[in-house]
Amino acid sequence: MSRKNLLEISSPNGERPEPAPHRDSRPLAGLAPTVRSGSPVGGITKTLGNITEKMERATDLERQLAQGQTIVEIDPALVDASFVADRLEIDPVELAQLVEQIREHGQQVPVLLRPHPEAKSRYQVAYGHRRLAATRMLGIKVRAVVRELTDEQLVVSQGQENSARTNLSFIERALFAARLEERGFGRDVIMASLGVDKAALSKMMSVISQVPMAVLTAIGAAPDVGRRRWAELAERLTPSNCETIATELSADNWRALSSPERFQRALEIAQNKEQRAVSAASNAEIPGLPVTLKTSAKSATFVFNNKAAPGFDRFVQERLSQLFAEYQQQQGA
């Protein structure tokens, strides 16, 4: 299907619209009224004139679409997502609110598309994924500006618009940066797309490198959770508690909670691992002996009271070989 047919360029009932107010840019061809001749015009002449007029309007509209100078309506089924995802999820509550706003007031802000670089007659969205999703739910066409964009121009537009309008969370921005780097984009392009300096980008990349994707997916976008708390979680993660976090938060009862609540639970799991290791370390006096036993999850230490029994530590030390031999004998029995 050609782009001309999608845009449904036509002149209803053959009528010409009223003159548009003066603007700096030239109006679309065929929209400004022409001076009618006072002499009668034959049917064939009128038909040829209408065909020529429509061709001129379509050609001019194609030119303006390529330059991104006008807003058009496009079937959402012809629009594909950006080649780099910038969100972990679309909040269903926010999406429902957006659907109601568009239902009541119409789509006020257009999305930005480019002609799909690999699929003819299709488009790829630079920004406006939520608006696109809302129009799909409503079953209406999406209002869009179409521009020819390189991959770099698309990701910079995508990152800057999302940072300014939709306030991506810290972890989504960090994940977006990591995905761009995986695709070979330089740090200068990544910094431009996110509007950050080198130091801020380095901190993002440091955090995202320590948090497995399974944990990120289980937690979600976690709005309002900033770099410091994510860094705290990242420092406490181990292979064991990562598996626990991903398993627990993926369960239905935990998925029902908000993303910030799931983040808090993940931090509690990571902290509890450390707390259990600390609480496992204990001091215990051995009844009747001048010795205290200190234990932890990985070791045990005897502390001798030299004031109560001077030289007892050396006495035990001299007999350690004999004690160990008895231990091995019992283990082999």
Side-chain angles (χ1 to χ4, degrees), residues 11-185:
S11 180
N13 303 321
E15 297 177 359
R16 297 177 180 273
E18 294 296 324
H22 174 73
R23 294 184 297 183
D24 292 335
S25 57
R26 186 170 73 85
L28 295 179
L31 294 184
T34 56
V35 179
R36 294 182 178 272
S37 171
S39 59
V41 181
I44 296 178
T45 304
K46 286 184 179 180
T47 301
L48 291 176
N50 288 338
I51 293 174
T52 302
E53 177 183 325
K54 291 180 180 180
M55 290 179 61
E56 288 178 351
R57 292 174 63 192
T59 301
D60 195 57
L61 184 55
E62 287 288 339
R63 177 185 60 78
Q64 294 193 48
L65 282 174
Q67 297 175 356
Q69 292 180 351
T70 191
I71 297 174
V72 296
E73 293 187 345
I74 293 176
D75 184 348
L78 298 175
V79 183
D80 297 320
S82 168
F83 63 91
V84 182
D86 53 27
R87 286 188 174 276
L88 285 166
E89 59 187 358
I90 296 180
D91 186 279
V93 175
E94 292 182 358
L95 181 58
Q97 292 173 346
L98 182 59
V99 167
E100 289 306 311
Q101 290 174 4
I102 294 178
R103 191 197 310 275
E104 184 174 353
H105 304 290
Q107 181 191 340
Q108 300 298 313
V109 181
V111 303
L112 176 62
L113 309 178
R114 71 170 177 176
H116 201 294
E118 299 175 356
K120 187 176 180 181
S121 299
R122 296 191 64 83
Y123 302 88
Q124 198 170 55
V125 61
Y127 58 73
H129 288 82
R130 294 191 306 164
R131 279 162 276 167
L132 180 62
T135 58
R136 282 177 175 151
M137 292 179 67
L138 290 168
I140 62 175
K141 292 186 176 181
V142 62
R143 300 179 70 244
V145 170
V146 181
R147 291 179 185 159
E148 294 287 350
L149 299 171
T150 65
D151 286 352
E152 289 188 357
Q153 290 171 330
L154 184 143
V155 298
V156 169
S157 297
Q158 181 178 350
Q160 289 182 346
E161 172 70 9
N162 284 335
S163 295
R165 183 177 300 280
T166 58
N167 296 322
L168 293 180
S169 68
F170 167 80
I171 203 63
E172 286 180 311
R173 288 161 57 82
L175 183 58
F176 183 55
R179 285 169 171 167
L180 290 180
E181 188 170 69
E182 287 176 0
R183 287 181 168 268
F185 289 96

Side-chain angles (χ1 to χ4, degrees), residues 160-315:
Q160 289 182 346
E161 172 70 9
N162 284 335
S163 295
R165 183 177 300 280
T166 58
N167 296 322
L168 293 180
S169 68
F170 167 80
I171 203 63
E172 286 180 311
R173 288 161 57 82
L175 183 58
F176 183 55
R179 285 169 171 167
L180 290 180
E181 188 170 69
E182 287 176 0
R183 287 181 168 268
F185 289 96
R187 287 287 176 103
D188 55 340
V189 174
I190 300 174
M191 288 188 292
S193 67
L194 293 172
V196 298
D197 59 20
K198 186 179 296 185
L201 180 59
S202 296
K203 292 176 181 177
M204 287 181 177
M205 301 301 283
S206 175
V207 170
I208 204 69
S209 66
Q210 299 177 71
V211 184
M213 193 62 203
V215 173
L216 288 179
T217 303
I219 293 174
D224 302 324
V225 177
R227 181 190 66 82
R228 290 186 179 180
R229 296 186 68 199
W230 273 104
E232 180 185 359
L233 175 63
E235 290 173 359
R236 297 177 184 273
L237 291 177
T238 65
S240 177
N241 61 34
C242 280
E243 183 177 354
T244 302
I245 291 169
T247 301
E248 180 171 321
L249 298 188
S250 297
D252 291 341
N253 57 325
W254 284 100
R255 294 303 298 176
L257 297 181
S258 68
S259 183
E261 289 172 327
R262 295 197 299 272
F263 175 89
Q264 183 59 37
R265 178 56 184 159
L267 187 58
E268 289 172 357
I269 294 173
Q271 289 172 333
N272 286 341
K273 287 287 185 180
E274 292 188 353
Q275 290 170 358
R276 283 197 292 270
V278 171
S279 62
S282 61
N283 299 337
E285 293 185 359
I286 301 176
L289 295 177
V291 178
T292 299
L293 178 61
K294 290 186 175 182
T295 60
S296 69
K298 296 183 179 180
S299 65
T301 306
F302 285 107
V303 179
F304 294 88
N305 187 341
N306 287 332
K307 184 177 180 180
F312 183 56
D313 56 333
R314 290 191 302 272
F315 179 84

